[in-house]
Amino acid sequence: FRLHESPEEEPHIVLECDGGMLEAVQKHLKLYKIRRKVNIAPCLDLSLWAVVPGERAGDIAGSLAKSADQALILTPDPRTEVMGWRLITKKGADPLEIIPGSQIGNIQDYHRHRYKQGIPEGVKDLPPGVALPLESNLAYMNGISFTKGCYIGQELTARTHHMGVIRKRLLPVHFSAPLPKDSIPEGAEILTESGKSAGKFRAGGGEMGIALLRLANINEPLCLNIAGDKVKLTANIPEWWPKTASK
């Protein structure tokens, strides 16, 4: 997100990241700073809000015009339209004043919404060194460029995109019963009815979650083994995916 409006103003760019990775991201960016006069620091005076669908885009844009002193950035979520808008305000600003008629939910509401849409976010859903960009659907969410480089893994990613077949993808899953809190091991295996591995659980809450599954198995009865108990689950292809995405 850019925070400067004119060429004369010193450019400021805001980078959103997983809060648990803040220090690691800072350290990584500073490796490439070299001798440039660039200051990299956390924006502790800002607050980030997710504005999930329910408000019309025109109404939101109009609200921003009336409350520009409180809202620094209000922009469509770059990942997909179903995730609504991202709002960045000054610390302490009231989002209800910026977007009249809205309601403040909690973090569980937000996660439930993105699980339902199959949207990964943060290191739990996208574990570093484990998650692959194409299997994580980043090509569908403006997360990969196939026209610029270079970046680590670019050749393999581009080759797979243009020529290969992606056999596993992150998908939204719905459980037959609410998941127990904090008792599911990371990467717990998801099995078919015959006991064959169909994929791995990534994250979830209540009856919703997200899992890396083999596309060939998503129409079969599936279950997650939790402390000896089998919890049934179903998976589906999100409607916001490109129509050819399930191939």
Side-chain angles (χ1 to χ4, degrees), residues 8 10 12 16 19 36 64 76 87 89 91 126-127 142 151-152 170 172 186 189 194 200 212 219 222 229 243:
E8 295 78 20
E10 185 177 354
H12 290 74
E16 182 186 340
R36 298 285 184 180
L64 176 58
L87 169 65
T89 70
K91 206 79 171 181
L126 302 166
N142 295 310
Y151 53 85
I152 295 173
L170 279 180
E186 189 173 326
E189 199 164 34
S194 63
K200 294 184 182 298
L212 181 67
N219 293 320
L222 302 173
D229 294 327
K243 296 307 178 184

Coordinates of all heavy atoms in Angstrom, one line a residue, residues 8 10 12 16 19 36 64 76 87 89 91 126-127 142 151-152 170 172 186 189 194 200 212 219 222 229 243:
E8 N 6.2 15.0 -5.1 CA 7.1 15.8 -4.2 C 7.2 15.2 -2.8 O 8.2 15.4 -2.1 CB 6.6 17.2 -4.1 CG 6.6 18.0 -5.4 CD 5.5 17.7 -6.3 OE1 4.5 17.1 -5.8 OE2 5.6 17.9 -7.5
E10 N 7.8 12.5 0.1 CA 8.6 11.3 0.3 C 7.8 10.0 0.3 O 6.8 9.9 1.0 CB 9.4 11.5 1.6 CG 10.4 10.4 1.8 CD 11.2 10.6 3.1 OE1 11.0 11.6 3.7 OE2 12.0 9.7 3.4
H12 N 6.2 6.5 1.0 CA 6.0 5.6 2.1 C 5.2 4.4 1.6 O 4.2 4.6 1.0 CB 5.3 6.2 3.3 CG 6.1 7.3 4.0 ND1 6.3 8.5 3.5 CD2 6.7 7.3 5.2 CE1 7.0 9.3 4.3 NE2 7.3 8.5 5.4
E16 N 1.9 -5.3 4.6 CA 1.2 -6.1 5.6 C 1.8 -7.5 5.7 O 2.1 -8.1 4.7 CB -0.3 -6.2 5.2 CG -1.2 -6.9 6.2 CD -2.6 -7.2 5.7 OE1 -3.0 -6.4 4.7 OE2 -3.3 -8.1 6.2
G19 N 1.7 -11.0 12.0 CA 2.3 -10.3 13.1 C 3.4 -11.2 13.8 O 4.4 -10.6 14.3
R36 N 21.1 2.0 0.4 CA 20.0 2.9 0.1 C 19.5 3.6 1.3 O 19.6 3.0 2.4 CB 18.9 2.1 -0.5 CG 19.2 1.4 -1.8 CD 19.4 2.4 -3.0 NE 19.6 1.7 -4.2 CZ 19.8 2.4 -5.4 NH1 19.7 3.7 -5.4 NH2 20.0 1.7 -6.5
L64 N -15.1 7.0 2.9 CA -13.7 7.3 3.0 C -13.6 8.8 2.7 O -12.8 9.5 3.4 CB -12.9 6.5 2.0 CG -11.4 6.9 1.9 CD1 -10.8 6.7 3.3 CD2 -10.7 6.1 0.9
P76 N -9.8 -2.3 -2.1 CA -10.2 -3.7 -2.2 C -9.1 -4.7 -1.8 O -8.0 -4.5 -2.1 CB -10.6 -3.8 -3.7 CG -10.9 -2.5 -4.1 CD -10.0 -1.6 -3.3
L87 N -8.8 -2.0 5.4 CA -8.8 -0.6 5.9 C -7.7 -0.4 6.9 O -7.5 -1.2 7.8 CB -10.2 -0.4 6.7 CG -10.3 0.9 7.5 CD1 -10.2 2.1 6.6 CD2 -11.6 0.9 8.3
T89 N -6.1 2.5 9.5 CA -6.4 3.7 10.1 C -5.3 4.1 11.1 O -4.4 3.3 11.4 CB -7.8 3.6 10.9 OG1 -7.5 2.7 12.1 CG2 -8.9 3.0 10.1
K91 N -4.1 4.7 14.8 CA -4.4 4.0 16.1 C -5.5 4.7 16.8 O -5.4 5.9 17.0 CB -3.1 3.9 16.9 CG -3.1 2.7 17.9 CD -2.8 1.4 17.1 CE -2.5 0.3 18.1 NZ -2.1 -0.9 17.4
L126 N 0.2 -21.1 5.7 CA 1.3 -21.2 4.7 C 2.6 -21.4 5.4 O 3.4 -20.5 5.4 CB 1.3 -19.9 3.8 CG 0.0 -19.6 3.1 CD1 0.0 -18.1 2.6 CD2 -0.3 -20.6 2.0
P127 N 2.9 -22.6 5.9 CA 4.1 -22.8 6.7 C 5.4 -22.6 5.8 O 5.5 -23.1 4.7 CB 4.0 -24.2 7.2 CG 3.0 -24.8 6.3 CD 2.1 -23.8 5.9
N142 N -3.4 -13.0 -7.0 CA -2.4 -11.9 -7.3 C -1.1 -12.1 -6.4 O -0.4 -11.1 -6.1 CB -3.0 -10.5 -7.0 CG -4.1 -10.2 -7.9 OD1 -4.0 -10.4 -9.2 ND2 -5.2 -9.8 -7.4
Y151 N 13.1 -14.6 -8.6 CA 12.9 -14.9 -7.2 C 13.2 -16.4 -7.1 O 13.2 -17.2 -8.0 CB 11.5 -14.5 -6.8 CG 10.4 -15.1 -7.7 CD1 9.9 -16.4 -7.4 CD2 9.8 -14.4 -8.7 CE1 8.9 -16.9 -8.2 CE2 8.7 -14.9 -9.4 CZ 8.3 -16.2 -9.2 OH 7.3 -16.7 -10.0
I152 N 13.4 -16.8 -5.8 CA 13.8 -18.1 -5.6 C 12.6 -19.1 -5.9 O 11.5 -18.8 -5.5 CB 14.2 -18.3 -4.1 CG1 15.4 -17.5 -3.8 CG2 14.4 -19.8 -3.7 CD1 15.8 -17.5 -2.3
L170 N -4.9 -26.1 -1.6 CA -5.6 -25.7 -0.4 C -7.1 -25.5 -0.7 O -7.4 -24.8 -1.6 CB -5.0 -24.4 0.1 CG -3.7 -24.5 0.9 CD1 -3.3 -23.1 1.4 CD2 -3.8 -25.4 2.1
P172 N -11.3 -25.2 1.1 CA -12.1 -25.1 2.3 C -12.7 -26.4 2.7 O -13.1 -27.2 1.8 CB -13.2 -24.1 1.9 CG -13.2 -24.2 0.4 CD -11.8 -24.5 0.0
E186 N -0.2 -30.0 14.2 CA 0.1 -29.3 12.9 C 0.3 -30.3 11.8 O 1.1 -31.3 12.0 CB 1.3 -28.4 13.1 CG 1.6 -27.5 11.9 CD 2.7 -26.5 12.2 OE1 2.8 -26.1 13.4 OE2 3.4 -26.2 11.3
E189 N -3.0 -35.6 9.4 CA -3.4 -36.3 8.2 C -4.9 -36.4 8.0 O -5.6 -36.8 8.9 CB -2.7 -37.7 8.1 CG -2.6 -38.2 6.7 CD -1.6 -39.3 6.6 OE1 -1.5 -40.1 7.6 OE2 -0.9 -39.5 5.6
S194 N -11.0 -45.5 2.9 CA -10.2 -46.8 2.9 C -8.9 -46.6 3.6 O -8.1 -47.6 3.7 CB -9.9 -47.1 1.4 OG -9.1 -46.1 0.8
K200 N -3.5 -33.0 4.2 CA -3.1 -32.5 5.5 C -3.9 -31.3 5.9 O -4.2 -30.4 5.2 CB -1.6 -32.2 5.6 CG -0.7 -33.4 5.4 CD 0.8 -33.0 5.6 CE 1.7 -34.2 5.3 NZ 1.4 -35.3 6.2
L212 N -4.8 -28.9 2.8 CA -4.1 -29.2 1.5 C -4.6 -30.6 1.1 O -4.2 -31.6 1.8 CB -2.6 -29.1 1.7 CG -1.8 -29.4 0.4 CD1 -2.0 -28.3 -0.6 CD2 -0.3 -29.6 0.8
N219 N -14.0 -35.6 -3.7 CA -15.4 -36.0 -3.8 C -15.7 -37.3 -3.0 O -16.8 -37.8 -3.0 CB -15.8 -36.1 -5.2 CG -15.8 -34.8 -6.0 OD1 -16.2 -33.8 -5.4 ND2 -15.4 -34.8 -7.2
L222 N -14.2 -38.2 3.5 CA -12.9 -38.0 4.2 C -13.1 -37.8 5.7 O -14.2 -37.5 6.2 CB -12.3 -36.7 3.6 CG -12.1 -36.6 2.1 CD1 -11.6 -35.2 1.6 CD2 -11.0 -37.7 1.7
D229 N -10.3 -40.5 17.5 CA -11.7 -40.3 17.0 C -11.6 -39.8 15.5 O -10.8 -38.9 15.2 CB -12.4 -39.3 17.9 CG -12.7 -39.9 19.3 OD1 -12.8 -41.1 19.4 OD2 -12.6 -39.1 20.2
K243 N -12.8 -20.7 -13.6 CA -13.6 -21.9 -13.9 C -12.8 -23.1 -14.3 O -13.2 -24.3 -14.2 CB -14.6 -21.6 -15.1 CG -15.6 -20.5 -14.7 CD -16.3 -20.9 -13.4 CE -17.3 -19.8 -13.0 NZ -18.0 -20.1 -11.7

